Amino acid sequence: MSEHGTEDSPAATGRPRLFDVVREVVRRRHYSYRTEESYLHWIKRFVLFSGRRHPRELGAAEVTAFLNHLVAQRHVAAATQNQALAALLFLYKEVLAQPLPWLESIEHAKRPVRRPTVLTQIEAQRLLAQLRGTKWLMASLLYGAGLRLRECLMLRVKDLDFGYRQILIRDGKGGKDRVTMLPGSVIEPLQAHLVRVKALHEQDIADNCGDVELPDAIARKYPRAPYEWGWKFVFPSYKRSVDPRTGVIRRHHVYENYLIRGVKYAAHAAGITKHVSCHTMRHSFATHLLEGGYDIRTVQELLGHNDVSTTMVYTHVLNKGGRGVRSPLEFPGIADNGQS
């Protein structure tokens, strides 16, 4: 950066711009595009907050002041503050090769422990009844198979096993693979959906836009894989778009707001007053399995949780065990008082 705090041009300094280096390091580590955008966002905000000085010139005081500013003036949530801290840790350790012990010792903000919102089985049925077509299919997989929204968006055709009625979730949260069930009630409509998706795939091939984004180095190892039907997204966008990293025009999966808004509107139309999100469907999946008597370890495996303690939160939602007590208002001789 120049003495005025702005970035000098690469031609003038012989060095690449800071944000170009950040992008290069993020992509070398195969982080998602969402992570890349998040890190760039917080690093830019940190640089602007610090008077446009280069991060190499900054230290503990500036980082602490920035994090405190986010809480005191911007009133961000603990998760947002932790996201900003993660971006700065990445910047100093991975990009600038300047690991700072004081930065790594900063304590992450504690996120408040909240109970998940869960729909009753009747509410889940009412919500799904308000959806049609692709939105119904996607929401049914969130609720019927316990998928996260991102996992649903990233599903590939080859990950659906109709014979064994199961779904292989690849590279889920934490980079893990897992297997979950494929509900029988969605098999026929899902197969009909794939017929329409394959027609899109064949049209793309005919138009020389038939490749698809592949993870890591698979495209280099298997040059024809991006054009194969099995690698296509189960829920593709109906419009082609420009890949923000490569500039290639291709068909990506549907945008996440497609289902986020659909679930929100469906909950409203169903008369559900609870705060319902796509993740509520996954919470309801776990809770209803436990209500049905399934073992918590089985539910843990289906959800892909590392620790069973994470799955235990759904037993609290059930209000069973030591807390499964009756209200004194329901004791015999009390509940009817005042009604006579």
Side-chain angles (χ1 to χ4, degrees), residues 133-197:
T134 304
K135 290 178 182 176
W136 177 86
L137 268 177
M138 297 177 73
S140 294
L141 290 179
L142 265 57
Y143 173 61
L147 302 190
R148 298 178 176 92
L149 173 59
R150 191 71 180 164
E151 292 169 347
C152 184
L153 295 175
M154 297 297 292
L155 269 183
R156 311 273 180 163
V157 173
K158 65 184 183 60
D159 297 330
L160 301 175
D161 189 333
F162 291 103
Y164 282 104
R165 293 194 174 191
Q166 65 184 24
I167 303 172
L168 175 57
I169 308 300
R170 296 184 183 274
D171 197 25
K173 190 173 182 179
K176 299 179 301 179
D177 293 354
R178 76 177 191 279
V179 174
T180 187
M181 74 277 284
L182 176 59
S185 59
V186 306
I187 288 180
E188 187 174 334
L190 187 54
Q191 289 175 329
H193 167 79
L194 290 178
V195 171
R196 296 188 291 272
V197 173

Side-chain angles (χ1 to χ4, degrees), residues 60-95:
E62 290 81 6
V63 172
T64 303
F66 176 63
L67 296 175
N68 289 339
H69 162 76
L70 293 179
V71 175
Q73 274 72 50
R74 307 302 299 177
H75 306 292
V76 302
T80 305
Q81 186 186 18
N82 288 336
Q83 190 180 69
L85 176 57
L88 297 183
L89 281 168
F90 178 84
L91 170 67
Y92 280 100
K93 187 175 181 179
E94 306 295 344
V95 178

Side-chain angles (χ1 to χ4, degrees), residues 6 29 60 65 75 81 103 136 144 164 206 215 245 248 290-291 307:
T6 57
R29 283 160 175 73
H75 306 292
Q81 186 186 18
L103 183 56
W136 177 86
Y164 282 104
R245 285 182 166 178
V248 175
L290 292 172
E291 283 181 337
D307 197 315

Side-chain angles (χ1 to χ4, degrees), residues 16-34:
R17 294 165 60 93
L18 172 65
F19 298 129
D20 291 337
V21 178
V22 173
R23 289 189 185 92
E24 179 185 344
V25 177
V26 166
R27 295 176 188 183
R28 193 187 310 147
R29 283 160 175 73
H30 305 294
Y31 290 172
S32 69
Y33 183 69
R34 176 182 292 184

Side-chain angles (χ1 to χ4, degrees), residues 11 42 77 94 102 108 137 182 206 249 324 339:
W42 288 113
E94 306 295 344
W102 55 266
H108 287 253
L137 268 177
L182 176 59
I249 298 176
Q339 301 299 319

Side-chain angles (χ1 to χ4, degrees), residues 24 46 58 64 85 108 119 132 234 255 260 270 274 286 294:
E24 179 185 344
F46 174 57
L58 307 174
T64 303
L85 176 57
H108 287 253
L119 302 176
R132 297 290 183 273
V234 173
Y255 189 54
I260 290 173
K274 297 174 182 176
Y294 288 96

Side-chain angles (χ1 to χ4, degrees), residues 34-45:
R34 176 182 292 184
T35 299
E36 176 182 325
E37 290 296 289
S38 173
Y39 281 4
L40 287 170
H41 168 78
W42 288 113
I43 292 170
K44 286 176 182 177
R45 286 187 61 169

